[in-house]
Structure formats: structure tokens, C-alpha cells
């Protein structure tokens, strides 16, 4: 019988909090059981294993990010939309580093197709329509934006920019300006 008060949602949220505290890679069912002061076996009626827990955290993070992005993008277009989306990712990573790492977790194709990751791609493509890009350039641009956002955030969180001036905010703004200029003047193949 399942322990009273334990649900998959509650365990997922606690796992996400744990990820933010200790790092996503250190989240396990055993670690979560310690947090609830229960035996590991009592969690197996809610979670199959640590892989399932990580998948649930990844899905939660993708959903949270998509909700934030949707709110931030409402009524925006062009550079304003690009900046809003970029800031959502950066702010989320700063506030929830473990969850942000979870959002990068590789999901099986069926789970990925049913996840909020699809909303992320749709929102990014909606922004790119304002730059008048057609396929395959739109897909190249989606990949470029994801790479730049993730790369910058990962380096910043890891302290990669903390050793020199100027301030990282100034570089972030210049990076977004450069992306906007590139998207407006997308090179022909």
C-alpha cells in the first residue's frame, strides 16, 4: 500500500527541489526516500526507478519553462520576443539550476513528443516568423538560438564569465543584439 500523502506529483516536485539543491545528476529514488524519511520501496508505487524520477522532473521543468515563455511572449514580436524568450531561459536557469539541467534530459521519442518541449519549439518558430525565415533556415535558426541560449547560460552558471569585465549582463544584451541582427540579415546558402 502507498504511504499516505505520497503522490507522483509530490515526489516529482520534491525531486525538482532536490535537483536545485544538489544537482540534477545526483537525484535518485534513494535520495528522495531519505528526504521523506521512508524506505525506497515505499516510493515504487509512484515511481519505477531513478530514470522515471528524472523523466518526471524533466517534464515538470519543460512545462514550467513553457508556461513562463508563453507568458513572457504574449503580445511581443521581433527583437522584443527574442529577448523575452532568452531572458526566460536565463532567469529560470539562475533560479532553478537543477530543473534547468533536467530540461536538457534526453527523453524517449514518444515522451518527448507528448511533452512541453513541443511548445518550446512552436514558440521559437513563432518568433522566427517575424524574421521572415523559411525552411530549412528556420530549423537552423531554432538550433542556433537554443545553442546560444544554453551555451551562454551554462558557461555563466559555471562561473566561466566571472573572471573578467565587462559585466555578464552587458555581454548578454550584446549577444541578443547580435542574434537579432543575424536573424534580420540571415545569410543565403
Amino acid at each position: 500500500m502507498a504511504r499516505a500523502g505520497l503522490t507522483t506529483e509530490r515526489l516529482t516536485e520534491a525531486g525538482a527541489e532536490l535537483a536545485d539543491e544538489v544537482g540534477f545528476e545526483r537525484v535518485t529514488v534513494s535520495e528522495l526516500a531519505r528526504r521523506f524519511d521512508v524506505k525506497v520501496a515505499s516510493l515504487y508505487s509512484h515511481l519505477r526507478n531513478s530514470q522515471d524520477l528524472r523523466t518526471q522532473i524533466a517534464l515538470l521543468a519543460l512545462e514550467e519553462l513553457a508556461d513562463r515563455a508563453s507568458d513572457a511572449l504574449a503580445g511581443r514580436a521581433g527583437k522584443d520576443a527574442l529577448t523575452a524568450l532568452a531572458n526566460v531561459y536565463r532567469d529560470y536557469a539562475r533560479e532553478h539550476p537543477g530543473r534547468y539541467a533536467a530540461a536538457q534530459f534526453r527523453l524517449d521519442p514518444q515522451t518527448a513528443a507528448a511533452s512541453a518541449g513541443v511548445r518550446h519549439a512552436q514558440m521559437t518558430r513563432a518568433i522566427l516568423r517575424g524574421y521572415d525565415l523559411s525552411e530549412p533556415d528556420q530549423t537552423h535558426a531554432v538550433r542556433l538560438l537554443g545553442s546560444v541560449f544554453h551555451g551562454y547560460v551554462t558557461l555563466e552558471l559555471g562561473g566561466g564569465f566571472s573572471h573578467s569585465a565587462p559585466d555578464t549582463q552587458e555581454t548578454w544584451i550584446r549577444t541578443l543584439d547580435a542574434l537579432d541582427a543575424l536573424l534580420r540579415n540571415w545569410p543565403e546558402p
Side-chain angles (χ1 to χ4, degrees):
M1 182 168 158
R3 183 176 173 102
L6 292 182
T7 64
T8 303
E9 294 77 22
R10 186 169 177 218
L11 293 170
T12 300
E13 184 64 39
E17 291 169 9
L18 183 62
D20 287 338
E21 293 168 17
V22 302
F24 180 64
E25 68 286 346
R26 295 184 57 201
V27 174
T28 64
V29 173
S30 298
E31 194 62 38
L32 195 56
R34 278 192 280 284
R35 177 165 280 216
F36 282 95
D37 195 30
V38 298
K39 294 186 186 305
V40 172
S42 64
L43 301 186
Y44 286 132
S45 60
H46 306 287
L47 300 164
R48 290 185 304 278
N49 51 36
S50 291
Q51 176 78 6
D52 184 34
L53 174 60
R54 288 187 190 104
T55 298
Q56 295 301 320
I57 296 168
L59 293 171
L60 172 68
L62 287 168
E63 191 71 34
E64 289 175 344
L65 264 169
D67 289 347
R68 285 186 181 200
S70 180
D71 290 346
L73 291 173
R76 297 178 190 263
K79 185 179 178 195
D80 287 341
L82 174 70
T83 300
L85 182 65
N87 286 334
V88 163
Y89 282 96
R90 187 177 182 217
D91 293 345
Y92 188 80
R94 288 170 155 180
E95 293 168 30
H96 300 291
R99 293 175 200 221
Y100 180 77
Q104 314 310 313
F105 187 63
R106 186 180 191 118
L107 301 171
D108 67 76
Q110 184 177 359
T111 303
S115 77
V118 174
R119 286 176 54 207
H120 292 269
Q122 290 169 340
M123 285 184 276
T124 304
R125 287 182 183 279
I127 290 169
L128 292 174
R129 282 194 293 274
Y131 289 98
D132 198 29
L133 294 177
S134 57
E135 285 300 343
D137 291 331
Q138 196 176 89
T139 296
H140 296 313
V142 167
R143 292 173 180 168
L144 171 71
L145 294 177
S147 298
V148 172
F149 298 165
H150 180 66
Y152 193 96
V153 165
T154 300
L155 288 168
E156 185 179 38
L157 287 177
F161 302 141
S162 63
H163 302 95
S164 62
D167 180 71
T168 59
Q169 180 62 23
E170 183 179 338
T171 305
W172 180 246
I173 291 168
R174 302 271 316 257
T175 299
L176 297 179
D177 289 344
L179 284 172
D180 175 64
L182 173 63
L183 292 170
R184 281 187 281 109
N185 300 293
W186 192 260
E188 294 295 322

